[in-house]
Amino acid sequence: MAESEQKNENSAGFEREAETGDPAAQADAAVEATTADAESAMSSSGTSAAPVDSAAEAADRPVEAAPVEVPESFTVTLIVRRYDPEVDDEPRWVDYDVQMYQTERILDALHRIKWEQDPSLAFRRSCAHGVCGSDAMRINGKNRLACKALVKDFDISKPIYVEAIKGLPLEKDLIVDMEPFFDSFREIQPFLQASGKPEKERHQTIAQRERFDDTTKCILCAACTTSCPVFWTDGQYFGPAAIVNAHRFIFDSRDEASQVRLDILNDREGVWRCRTTFNCTDACPRGIQVTKAIAEVKQAMLTGVKL
Amino acid sequence: MADHSSVTDGIHYHQHDVVIVGAGGAGMRAAIEAAPKASTAVITKLYPTRSHTGAAQGGMAAALANVEEDSNEWHTYDTVKGGDYLTDQDSAEILTREAIDAVYDLENMGLPFNRTPDGKIDQRRFGGHTRDHGKAPVRRACYAADRTGHMILQTLYQNCVKHGVEFFNEFYALDLIMAEVDGVKRVSGVVAYELATGEIHVFQGKSVVFATGGFGKIYKTTSNAHTLTGDGVGIVWRQGLPLEDMEFYQFHPTGLAGLGILLTEGARGEGAILRNASGERFMERYAPTIKDLAPRDIVARSMVQEVLDGRGAGPNKDYVYLDCTHLGAEVLETKLPDITEFARTYLGVDPVVERVPVYPTAHYAMGGIPTNNDAQVLSDNETVIPGLYAAGECACVSVHGANRLGTNSLLDINVFGKRAGNNAVAYAQTADFVDLPADAADGVVKMLAQLREGEGTESVAEIRKALQETMDRNAQVFRTEETLQTALADIAALRERYPNVRIHDRGRRFNTDLLEAVELGFLLDLAEVVVVSAINRKESRGAHMRDDYPTRDDVNYMQHTMAYRTDAETGASQGIRLDWKPVRVTHYQPTERKY
Ligand SMILES: Cc1cc2nc3c(=O)[nH]c(=O)nc-3n(C[C@H](O)[C@H](O)[C@H](O)COP(=O)(O)OP(=O)(O)OC[C@H]3O[C@@H](n4cnc5c(N)ncnc54)[C@H](O)[C@@H]3O)c2cc1C
Ligand code: SF4
Ligand code: FES
């Protein structure tokens, strides 16, 4: 071990006195009060207000602090389309009453059902904040990510209907087979194709980078594709998500295979079947202008890619 | 390269040269090296693009010097100092040296980095990254808006598609098979559970790479995904292999208050400021030179200190504010669009005009499966297990020491993921398969049967919640002997209840009820190791802040903790033996950490 001064300060400002009461207990209370649990959030933090000795340094700008409402709970009825292939011949709708808070989401409601009422309910989820694409589902007839659908945005005087996304084979409860969806994605050659190996990075102007920014946001959640009436009636249709990902490369100035992808899409009338119903754009949780991207790909087929 | 598989007694057997467990950044970076050269299988419990690497926001560090002078030696210094001198310095040198190519690799693979006006990769400031040994913040983080991790994950998956990597999606690895060959313990394969069918698969591999990510779900308030339950770390632990530095768990300063959802440090890199209830920029008191851009351990502690001292905001004075209002809508919408939306969606707060309530959130495991610089897993301080590799958040090299710097993990997964992939292939090209024992799958079959058929009455969700609550309360930013002992007693009580959990779903297909119970088992094991390691370290260093031992003690504790599972269980507690491993020092002697 290296010889060095014993007892270095961990860092400035953290020498804490033993006689300031019981810091651990204070830490407890503070931690408890910051949990997502509304009950504990309402309990007192147990810390006493110390005089603020640095009021003079206070921010010069008049900025609104966020208003904080005292959380109030209410009952929401969810009607979930359940299906267990090992038991059920047909899917069935099942009602659940759940206690919810203003700031919570449909995913919280589903967890409450799974964790407190019926652990057999099956659904996918991971990140819980709209970035992984696991939990696209049909909520009151519209495709949403359960983790981004806030309960307060629904009319809770009526039940909320939750079912699996449509157009992909139903596996169990809210879970569908994603393979056909990913197959379409893989078919459009979703990877950069560029010749030569530069010594460092390939250059790209800010404007060139901006050209395909919107379609880089896709998280492959399938909300768009499974809201598309053309996809429902024709499972062979590539679907909006595959076209969005083709767009991401077609308009990337570094890529040299745009024409290949346009040909793939053209071959199976990939883009031409789009009837511009805008369902996909409405469904996209990442706010991607899906219909616009499809239109740009159509345009590129007719007039070539303009970068 | 096709999967060679067969079915015997209802169990599927596969054979691949390289078996990679996990398809986040580390696993896929390894696969891109391995797949073109050897038959490779990637087992992943999530679809690859759903891995939590995709949640990373702020950036990936590399001293490209695209926008201002920088050097990888400065980056090494920052990494060592940021890690409170527990970082292995030769490893940090590799990390920062190979950082540059790691970024170019990703760009060449297609990653759409933000650009400078002259078309190069743009770079931004981040906590703890400085010019010339601490003089001022430096622009070192390469980024793609505030979705850098998303772009890394997508780009790596795209390149796996290009190379035809074979994925086994929604397969849960649950056991590692090792066998002794000529007195040497070697790797033989992995046992996995297929979510869709409930069937068991044994993957025989010449080399096995673990890249299963972190275990943030031992805590309640966390930036981690529901699926980050430490399975890989737990599997290795149950094999009697050591875990390193488990007491060092990082709390990220800016989680959305009450929710834990992350707001990247990149916000502060772009100029956002932390303020207490009275609006004071309190970091000026704790880190006068680099203020809000001090390393995370220091910022998180300062925030908790403000709250403890009564200067917190809100009705319960239990959080502080992140003030982005002076950045302007343009910067927020173009450089930080995702976090702007998170605040709007989940707290109903608009960062353009309002300050955002924030509080530290459990974020990153510095500790994990010990490896050497070649990503080989160690069975003690030096001995490698031939054929076994680990990389990414599940591994501990250790490049992060006692506290990881922001943007160094996306770097870690790329540098050491690549090394793991390359070395796993090189080994597979010379080694033979190790025979699978006839009972390879028995352990998993038995564990699942016990859980599935148990007649107990305990709820998985309740035990998990109680675990997360005691960890949040007693093993968080500040710890003492007393709080840690409380956590330990709570964990023991929960471990006692665990064998009596009731699985309600008795079916085979998509039985997530069963898998949540299995994951809880890993969480309970790992939480106990975290707490026992924390009790043993009677000093404060990096993310491990002991109120009862508030200073760093280099004489006794400038060494890594090595925890081993032993057979000496007492009641519900695991037998845990603790040992030490020296820190590798090259150039930087420990000094007081001031910012
Ligand atoms: C919100 C957030 C923001 C972050 N921002 C940054 C940042 O800006 N810069 C930075 O450097 N770092 C950041 N980090 C940290 C960094 O993103 C992670 O540490 C890193 O991405 C981990 O990558 P990984 O490949 O090790 O694991 P992950 O990406 O978590 O992948 C784990 C993989 O293992 C698989 N797996 C797990 N268990 C099993 C099992 N039993 N069987 C089979 N497969 C399994 C999963 O399916 C998954 O594919 C951030 C982290 C978070 C949470
Ligand atoms: S375009 Fe939008 S809706 Fe469609 S898969 Fe991508 S993120 Fe989901
Ligand atoms: S759980 Fe990840 S997008 Fe909803």
Side-chain angles (χ1 to χ4, degrees):
Chain A
M1 203 184 322
E3 280 294 316
S4 66
E5 308 144 70
Q6 204 170 354
K7 302 265 173 196
N8 279 316
E9 293 260 345
N10 181 265
S11 57
F14 290 108
E15 277 252 272
R16 303 175 64 225
E17 307 272 286
E19 53 280 14
T20 52
D22 180 359
Q26 290 183 8
D28 286 359
V31 168
E32 214 172 345
T34 54
T35 61
D37 186 335
E39 275 129 24
S40 62
M42 283 160 67
S43 75
S44 151
S45 75
T47 50
S48 58
V52 179
D53 46 13
S54 45
E57 295 170 42
D60 38 338
R61 303 162 41 83
V63 176
E64 284 286 300
V68 177
E69 290 149 34
V70 180
E72 217 179 288
S73 80
F74 43 84
T75 305
V76 181
T77 303
L78 262 76
I79 305 187
V80 182
R81 192 166 182 256
R82 302 282 315 260
Y83 173 62
D84 180 352
E86 290 174 83
V87 182
D88 303 322
D89 294 329
E90 285 286 308
R92 59 206 158 85
W93 291 95
V94 182
D95 296 23
Y96 301 91
D97 285 345
V98 197
Q99 281 303 110
M100 298 292 295
Y101 297 90
Q102 277 288 332
T103 53
E104 291 187 309
R105 306 153 260 168
I106 297 298
L107 180 62
D108 297 307
L110 294 172
H111 272 146
R112 212 149 283 156
I113 295 170
K114 186 172 181 65
W115 294 343
E116 292 165 15
Q117 300 183 30
D118 184 353
S120 71
L121 177 66
F123 54 91
R124 294 187 176 107
R125 89 299 187 238
S126 186
C127 73
H129 65 285
V131 297
C132 77
S134 295
D135 59 345
M137 47 189 81
R138 236 167 116 80
I139 305 173
N140 281 353
K142 282 197 161 166
N143 281 2
R144 314 277 300 269
L145 294 178
C147 66
K148 281 190 87 173
L150 292 164
V151 173
K152 71 172 163 60
D153 294 342
F154 292 87
D155 173 3
I156 55 157
S157 66
K158 302 202 192 92
I160 300 173
Y161 289 84
V162 182
E163 61 190 304
I165 44 179
K166 276 172 68 170
L168 291 167
L170 182 62
E171 293 279 1
K172 182 177 178 179
D173 294 343
L174 302 173
I175 296 179
V176 297
D177 179 3
M178 297 295 298
E179 282 308 319
F181 172 81
F182 280 104
D183 283 344
S184 292
F185 166 75
R186 287 187 285 258
E187 250 180 88
I188 55 94
Q189 305 192 358
F191 40 83
L192 188 78
Q193 300 178 53
S195 52
K197 172 129 181 53
E199 203 189 314
K200 294 180 170 182
E201 70 262 59
R202 290 194 171 82
H203 285 207
Q204 186 164 54
T205 66
I206 291 172
Q208 286 171 329
R209 166 66 181 77
E210 182 58 27
R211 181 68 191 84
F212 63 104
D213 187 63
D214 202 34
T215 45
T216 65
K217 295 176 186 161
C218 177
I219 55 175
L220 296 168
C221 69
C224 54
T225 297
T226 59
S227 70
C228 172
V230 181
F231 181 76
W232 294 337
T233 51
D234 178 4
Q236 290 303 303
Y237 176 50
F238 278 99
I243 304 172
V244 160
N245 282 281
H247 179 283
R248 180 251 169 272
F249 290 100
I250 290 169
F251 292 94
D252 185 334
S253 58
R254 299 169 297 173
D255 191 82
E256 293 162 11
S258 298
Q259 198 52 49
V260 177
R261 291 190 198 87
L262 290 172
D263 290 346
I264 294 171
L265 288 173
N266 205 9
D267 229 29
R268 281 192 354 220
E269 294 180 52
V271 292
W272 302 112
R273 289 190 218 182
C274 166
R275 297 198 311 253
T276 331
T277 51
F278 281 95
N279 282 20
C280 51
T281 303
D282 293 341
C284 180
R286 302 287 293 151
I288 298 169
Q289 299 298 310
V290 181
T291 314
K292 181 170 169 232
I294 296 173
E296 287 176 358
V297 172
K298 283 180 181 171
Q299 190 61 38
M301 281 181 182
L302 298 173
T303 59
V305 182
K306 295 208 180 60
L307 288 174
Chain B
M1 273 166 262
D3 178 48
H4 299 287
S5 68
S6 61
V7 184
T8 312
D9 297 334
I11 302 207
H12 300 254
Y13 289 87
H14 310 252
Q15 204 180 56
H16 290 271
D17 292 333
V18 179
V19 176
I20 296 172
V21 185
M28 290 203 283
R29 190 66 191 82
I32 287 168
E33 298 304 316
K37 297 174 212 138
S39 144
T40 301
V42 181
I43 304 169
T44 171
K45 75 177 186 181
L46 300 173
Y47 275 89
T49 53
R50 295 172 179 178
S51 304
H52 212 54
T53 291
Q57 303 168 355
M60 169 169 167
L64 304 184
N66 275 2
V67 287
E68 61 180 308
E69 189 189 357
D70 199 1
S71 88
N72 51 305
E73 191 274 317
W74 296 351
H75 187 183
T76 307
Y77 169 82
D78 290 336
T79 301
V80 170
K81 182 180 172 192
D84 220 350
Y85 296 93
L86 201 66
T87 309
D88 286 311
Q89 299 182 6
D90 57 335
S91 311
E93 283 164 14
I94 291 171
L95 180 81
T96 63
R97 190 174 347 110
E98 296 183 7
I100 306 195
D101 277 339
V103 168
Y104 292 146
D105 277 357
L106 286 170
E107 195 285 333
N108 292 174
M109 283 186 220
L111 198 145
F113 284 107
N114 276 41
R115 299 290 171 158
T116 62
D118 56 352
K120 294 189 201 156
I121 294 169
D122 198 10
Q123 300 186 274
R124 61 158 60 130
R125 299 191 177 103
F126 238 80
H129 290 279
T130 69
R131 179 172 59 79
D132 192 10
H133 312 92
K135 298 231 165 64
V138 74
R139 293 177 197 269
R140 185 178 290 148
C142 309
Y143 67 100
D146 56 352
R147 53 175 188 282
T148 314
H150 164 77
M151 294 313 340
I152 289 178
L153 193 68
Q154 295 290 329
T155 302
L156 292 176
Y157 181 62
Q158 290 156 2
N159 280 270
C160 285
V161 171
K162 177 176 167 181
H163 293 298
V165 172
E166 194 168 354
F167 287 99
F168 292 84
N169 295 327
E170 300 194 318
F171 277 54
Y172 286 63
L174 298 180
D175 202 3
L176 167 67
I177 306 299
M178 296 195 293
E180 248 175 59
V181 182
D182 303 329
V184 178
K185 207 181 229 185
R186 278 174 53 186
V187 72
S188 166
V190 170
V191 185
Y193 173 95
E194 184 180 2
L195 184 66
T197 61
E199 286 172 351
I200 305 293
H201 296 252
V202 179
F203 292 85
Q204 189 179 19
K206 293 176 181 172
S207 14
V208 170
V209 180
F210 273 82
T212 50
F215 47 86
K217 278 290 154 181
I218 60 173
Y219 291 98
K220 178 170 178 176
T221 309
T222 175
S223 64
N224 280 201
H226 285 286
T227 46
L228 286 175
T229 49
D231 310 356
V233 182
I235 289 168
V236 164
W237 168 250
R238 288 178 186 176
Q239 287 295 323
L241 299 176
L243 297 181
E244 183 172 343
D245 288 344
M246 292 290 280
E247 65 272 37
F248 295 102
Y249 200 90
Q250 177 169 83
F251 296 86
H252 191 293
T254 52
L256 286 181
L259 291 171
I261 295 171
L262 197 79
L263 300 184
T264 176
E265 195 171 289
R268 279 171 285 138
E270 296 292 347
I273 287 169
L274 289 163
R275 299 187 188 279
N276 60 22
S278 68
E280 182 206 0
R281 182 181 192 178
F282 58 85
M283 282 312 299
E284 285 179 334
R285 273 187 276 121
Y286 297 92
T289 310
I290 58 176
K291 305 186 179 89
D292 300 88
L293 286 174
R296 290 175 179 172
D297 55 336
I298 294 175
V299 180
R301 275 201 296 279
S302 308
M303 291 167 66
V304 176
Q305 190 68 57
E306 289 299 294
V307 165
L308 290 175
D309 291 348
R311 292 190 287 274
N316 301 314
K317 297 169 170 290
D318 57 5
Y319 52 73
V320 300
Y321 291 119
L322 183 69
D323 185 355
C324 308
T325 55
H326 53 288
L327 299 183
E330 160 93 25
V331 168
L332 285 168
E333 307 282 356
T334 60
K335 292 190 167 171
L336 303 162
D338 281 5
I339 64 158
T340 302
E341 197 206 315
F342 295 155
R344 286 177 184 153
T345 305
Y346 297 116
L347 283 187
V349 171
D350 185 355
V352 176
V353 290
E354 291 167 306
R355 297 175 185 166
V356 186
V358 290
Y359 199 74
T361 180
H363 186 59
Y364 183 86
M366 269 74 72
I369 305 164
T371 71
N372 62 16
N373 290 336
D374 292 322
Q376 292 177 290
V377 173
L378 301 173
S379 61
D380 56 31
N381 286 1
E382 286 125 32
T383 315
V384 302
I385 298 171
L388 187 57
Y389 301 82
E393 190 169 338
C394 71
C396 179
V397 182
S398 159
V399 286
H400 308 303
N403 172 60
R404 169 175 76 82
L405 290 187
T407 67
N408 267 356
S409 174
L410 291 178
L411 176 57
D412 174 8
I413 62 180
N414 277 288
V415 167
F416 288 95
K418 182 176 181 178
R419 284 181 160 242
N422 271 326
N423 294 332
V425 167
Y427 178 79
Q429 282 166 344
T430 59
D432 293 325
F433 285 103
V434 173
D435 288 341
L436 287 166
D439 62 355
D442 283 12
V444 167
V445 171
K446 202 167 133 221
M447 169 177 74
L448 294 177
Q450 269 171 3
L451 282 170
R452 202 192 325 243
E453 285 143 32
E455 293 296 329
T457 53
E458 293 286 357
S459 141
V460 169
E462 273 173 31
I463 295 178
R464 184 176 50 217
K465 185 163 177 254
L467 172 72
Q468 293 168 340
E469 280 172 358
T470 191
M471 290 300 287
D472 261 24
R473 200 172 307 131
N474 298 309
Q476 223 216 20
V477 174
F478 290 108
R479 303 133 180 223
T480 65
E481 175 80 24
E482 201 186 328
T483 65
L484 291 167
Q485 290 294 352
T486 305
L488 192 59
D490 288 348
I491 294 168
L494 296 171
R495 293 181 64 87
E496 214 160 289
R497 291 165 59 187
Y498 176 68
N500 299 318
V501 292
R502 172 83 179 191
I503 306 301
H504 294 254
D505 188 343
R506 303 269 159 146
R508 301 265 148 199
R509 297 170 52 81
F510 290 96
N511 191 337
T512 52
D513 191 16
L514 177 66
L515 267 312
E516 283 194 23
V518 173
E519 291 172 334
L520 174 61
F522 291 125
L523 290 177
L524 285 166
D525 282 7
L526 298 182
E528 191 174 26
V529 184
V530 168
V531 171
V532 168
S533 303
I535 290 172
N536 192 51
R537 184 174 286 277
K538 298 187 184 351
E539 66 156 353
S540 289
R541 182 186 297 272
H544 174 68
M545 177 72 198
R546 288 282 301 255
D547 249 346
D548 42 357
Y549 300 94
T551 51
R552 199 174 78 199
D553 173 0
D554 288 332
V555 169
N556 294 304
Y557 291 104
M558 206 181 107
Q559 40 188 348
H560 300 287
T561 301
M562 296 288 275
Y564 295 81
R565 186 180 175 133
T566 70
D567 295 332
E569 300 120 69
T570 44
S573 298
Q574 310 169 81
I576 299 177
R577 178 172 69 83
L578 296 175
D579 201 350
W580 300 105
K581 182 171 116 182
V583 173
R584 295 189 297 274
V585 174
T586 55
H587 295 111
Y588 310 99
Q589 293 303 319
T591 56
E592 184 180 346
R593 210 162 144 244
K594 279 204 167 123
Y595 285 96

